[in-house]
Amino acid sequence: MMNTAERTLDSIEQRRRIQDSFAIDLRVAAPGVIQTVDYARQTCTVQLAIREKLRHSDGSIEDVEIPTLLDVPFFVYSGGGYCLTLPIAPGDDCLVVFGDNCMDAWWQSGGVQNQVERRRHDLSDGFAIVGFRSQPQVVSGYSAGTAQLRNKAGDAYIEIAGSNINIVAAGNVTINGATVNIN
């Protein structure tokens, strides 16, 4: 039977412990809950939805909330000069992905930038992807066979079903345009 001193002095075991301690502090992605939204800056504040386990010097463990993340850019589906904007509300679930590098200069100026600080996977380098949902927030009546742009209740939607487009509304449908062609 191996004694504890032999095991902890082993170089492989020491490397494993160093890697474990590094992995504890590594941030990659975590679920969160939107607290506030700033549409003008396209940022939000997010409370991470999983508490951190904090080990005290006496060996006891305490679950603590990670401080609210500020100025987190939120995802806007876009490309080629078009975008899809969706309202984001406090209480919406999201996934916060933490960047490999300090994003401050890129966020401020765009393009390719140098790092302002040398940091990796930091809480201040998160991006919010809104739309992931916890089980209590799942979309009811999810259409598995068509593409829909819909409200949460499912009583108003635009749907593509094969070669057909369906528009359904519990309220009014309004079409404004210089010219409206219906064939």
Side-chain angles (χ1 to χ4, degrees), residues 2 6-7 36 47 49 64 89 111 117-118 121 136 142 147 170 177 182:
M2 180 182 280
E6 288 174 343
R7 184 171 177 213
T36 63
Q47 177 63 58
V64 296
E117 291 182 40
R118 187 168 190 233
H121 300 275
Y142 193 99
I182 299 175

Side-chain angles (χ1 to χ4, degrees), residues 6 13 17 19 30 37-38 47 49 51 61-62 70 76 98 101 128 135 152 159 162 169 178 182:
E6 288 174 343
E13 178 66 17
R17 288 179 185 217
Q19 288 173 334
V37 181
D38 182 340
Q47 177 63 58
R51 293 183 184 93
I61 296 176
E62 177 186 8
L70 308 174
V76 178
F98 299 99
N101 300 315
Q135 287 301 297
K152 185 175 180 179
E159 173 182 68
I182 299 175

Side-chain angles (χ1 to χ4, degrees), residues 65-107:
E65 286 193 10
I66 296 170
T68 300
L69 307 179
L70 308 174
D71 289 325
V72 179
F74 59 78
F75 177 74
V76 178
Y77 197 89
S78 59
Y82 295 92
C83 64
L84 174 63
T85 62
L86 300 170
I88 299 170
D92 283 351
D93 290 333
C94 68
L95 179 68
V96 181
V97 179
F98 299 99
D100 284 343
N101 300 315
C102 170
M103 69 169 193
D104 295 351
W106 166 83
W107 187 64

Side-chain angles (χ1 to χ4, degrees), residues 24-144:
I24 287 171
D25 293 330
L26 180 66
R27 305 269 181 207
V28 177
V33 179
I34 302 292
Q35 302 297 300
T36 63
V37 181
D38 182 340
Y39 288 108
R41 298 180 69 217
Q42 295 177 15
T43 63
C44 55
T45 60
V46 179
Q47 177 63 58
L48 292 183
I50 298 178
R51 293 183 184 93
E52 186 77 30
K53 291 209 176 285
L54 179 64
R55 182 181 300 272
H56 296 285
S57 59
D58 66 359
S60 64
I61 296 176
E62 177 186 8
D63 290 317
V64 296
E65 286 193 10
I66 296 170
T68 300
L69 307 179
L70 308 174
D71 289 325
V72 179
F74 59 78
F75 177 74
V76 178
Y77 197 89
S78 59
Y82 295 92
C83 64
L84 174 63
T85 62
L86 300 170
I88 299 170
D92 283 351
D93 290 333
C94 68
L95 179 68
V96 181
V97 179
F98 299 99
D100 284 343
N101 300 315
C102 170
M103 69 169 193
D104 295 351
W106 166 83
W107 187 64
Q108 182 68 37
S109 303
V112 177
Q113 302 294 328
N114 295 327
Q115 290 187 66
V116 174
E117 291 182 40
R118 187 168 190 233
R119 63 180 187 239
R120 294 197 173 275
H121 300 275
D122 193 82
L123 287 170
S124 62
D125 294 318
F127 298 88
I129 304 171
V130 182
F132 291 95
R133 295 174 175 269
S134 59
Q135 287 301 297
Q137 303 297 329
V138 296
V139 175
S140 63
Y142 193 99
S143 177

